[in-house]
Amino acid sequence: MRDIIRAESYYLLKNVRYYVFLAVIFVLRILSAVPNFTWLSTTTDFIFYIFIVILVLEFSHKDFNLGTMKNYVGSGVSLENVYFGKLLTCMIAVVILSVVNIALRDVVDIILGNGSVDIVRQLISLLISIEKNCILFFICSLITSSVFAVIIGIAYSIVLGFVCALVKNPVTEAISPFLLDNINNAEKFTFDVMWHLLVTTLVVAIIVYLGAKLYSKREVK
């Protein structure tokens, strides 16, 4: 798995698109601090999610699309290890992008007098972001069509959240991004909130394990 992480990290460092994403988020967040452009804050949240979908999709699909997955398999690496290596590298990329986004959003909020920095809340927000994107990676890895995967990835955050909100229990809340965000937006981190976060994390861990098993069944051409 170490070689996979090294190869994927090298690809990320050479990926111009990733730096463009970082630059766009940086510019939009800075502009949202300007009084006449505060509306950009909500727009940036949506654009940020689109960037994440593209990033996750790229990690989960690129070797199948380019026909280079056979190089991993030919060297004796199992598809399960490929899945975990790609997922880990992808989540590192997501964390970097999320940290930049969250930090700039907090700076803008402070400039506009809308709040202060809460480190614990931001760490919880980062964990939630990782969990949501682990589920997104799982979804994208199951879909062979890149276009369809993008559509499903965007719909995941919109449609699934409303569906899961109709039935509130630990399982449905674990796969609902809106309800996951409700943990982050809770006024106080009570025992119930932290317990729910633990259950959510366990459910996501099961989904990741299941994703690796299903990924290993994919046909390599």
Side-chain angles (χ1 to χ4, degrees), residues 145-202:
S145 169
S146 298
V147 175
F148 190 53
V150 170
I151 295 173
I152 294 298
I154 296 173
Y156 158 72
S157 184
I158 301 174
V159 178
L160 195 58
F162 287 114
V163 172
C164 292
L166 298 177
V167 183
K168 294 186 178 180
N169 60 64
V171 175
T172 56
E173 290 183 5
I175 59 175
S176 169
F178 289 129
L179 295 179
L180 276 172
D181 286 341
N182 285 342
I183 303 174
N184 182 48
N185 295 330
E187 293 183 2
K188 296 181 179 180
F189 290 110
T190 62
F191 175 80
D192 289 340
V193 171
M194 299 311 294
W195 171 250
H196 172 74
L197 188 58
L198 175 61
V199 172
T200 299
T201 303
L202 291 176

Side-chain angles (χ1 to χ4, degrees), residues 25-43:
I25 293 299
F26 179 83
V27 171
L28 289 177
R29 285 299 181 195
I30 296 301
L31 284 177
S32 66
V34 179
N36 292 334
F37 293 94
T38 54
W39 55 270
L40 277 175
S41 180
T42 302
T43 303

Side-chain angles (χ1 to χ4, degrees), residues 42-114:
T42 302
T43 303
T44 305
D45 289 337
F46 179 74
I47 293 175
F48 172 76
Y49 184 74
I50 298 298
F51 286 170
I52 291 296
V53 171
I54 295 173
L55 186 65
V56 170
L57 176 66
E58 192 166 7
F59 270 97
S60 62
H61 275 238
K62 71 178 178 66
D63 285 297
F64 282 106
N65 292 341
L66 297 174
T68 53
M69 184 60 75
K70 59 186 177 183
N71 295 336
Y72 282 134
V73 177
S75 63
V77 179
S78 69
L79 283 178
E80 283 189 31
N81 282 337
V82 172
Y83 182 90
F84 285 122
K86 283 179 169 292
L87 176 63
L88 181 58
T89 311
C90 182
M91 290 307 108
I92 291 174
V94 166
V95 165
I96 294 173
L97 201 57
S98 297
V99 167
V100 171
N101 182 51
I102 292 172
L104 289 173
R105 184 180 62 195
D106 283 348
V107 169
V108 170
D109 284 343
I110 291 173
I111 292 175
L112 297 177
N114 295 330

